[in-house]
Amino acid sequence: MLNILFEDENLVIIDKPAGLLVHRTRQAFGEEENALIQLRDQIGSWVAPVHRLDRATSGVLLFAKNEEILPQLKAKFMEREVQKTYLTIVRGIPKEKEGLIDHPLESERSKKLQEAQSKYKVKAKAEIPFNSTGRYPTSRYSLLEVELLTGRTHQIRRHLAHIRHYIIGDKKHGDNKQNIFFERQFGLQNLLLHAWKLSFVHPISLEKISLSCPPPVHFRTIMKILDWNPNEILTVTK
């Protein structure tokens, strides 16, 4: 059963598990398991995803429950009226505690450069007594809070790779040495990227919807290994 964070007659918001497709894709055409089908069957209603999360990414995901509200919700994303905040664990510690990554990204379809902006904030830092790269006796990592200002494909993963703070577990845009180290040392087989918070004004009721969901077990396990207390760090103030 999918964890439903919010539901009314117009929309439903879930906590998508890592590894679950949002909907069927050409790349995984033969796979029946996806969030759209599961949610439709679970609540007995037509649903359509308003935005996307990568298969490997967990967290808050918004669905429309009727065709009338779908374009209204999509418009909010297009007009940047939705605040999307993610958590991720990366290699190294950024020099600045807060920063803006303003770096255009090439569209996977058109191959044209598109405006792309991501804000980040360092929430926790760690240095552990392991030589993860063969170069230094210790290794350093950061927990980042990232807010998307635009919505490009793999934007956070590509932006953090651009500033060389690779997301742990990212096999496409990450650091292979770190991925191998975390898998062998700690048994990690997941991408450490989680859609943590979503905030927007409901287009019908005009109510402010602000939701958050804690990261999954594999993410919190690595936090504890890095000596970070998830309960303290992830407390959301209203």
Side-chain angles (χ1 to χ4, degrees), residues 37-126:
I37 298 298
Q38 284 193 26
L39 183 59
R40 180 199 67 186
D41 294 345
Q42 183 171 325
I43 68 175
S45 170
W46 180 93
V47 292
V50 179
H51 61 118
R52 296 177 298 174
L53 292 179
D54 296 340
R55 181 178 191 162
T57 303
S58 57
V60 183
L61 181 63
L62 171 63
F63 285 83
K65 289 177 66 177
N66 59 67
E67 296 184 16
E68 291 74 25
I69 201 172
L70 181 59
Q72 298 179 56
L73 291 169
K74 283 184 174 290
K76 285 187 172 292
F77 279 85
M78 292 293 293
E79 295 165 10
R80 303 185 185 182
E81 296 177 3
V82 178
Q83 186 175 9
K84 297 173 289 181
T85 308
Y86 292 70
L87 290 171
T88 187
I89 297 176
V90 303
R91 184 196 77 172
I93 301 172
K95 293 180 180 179
E96 304 294 333
K97 291 183 179 180
E98 298 184 23
L100 171 68
I101 306 171
D102 187 356
H103 176 67
L105 297 172
E106 185 180 88
S107 167
E108 293 189 352
R109 292 184 179 180
S110 68
K111 303 303 179 182
K112 294 180 180 178
L113 285 179
Q114 298 177 313
E115 176 191 16
Q117 296 177 323
S118 306
K119 289 169 59 177
Y120 72 85
K121 180 187 301 182
V122 179
K123 293 189 70 67
K125 299 179 287 185

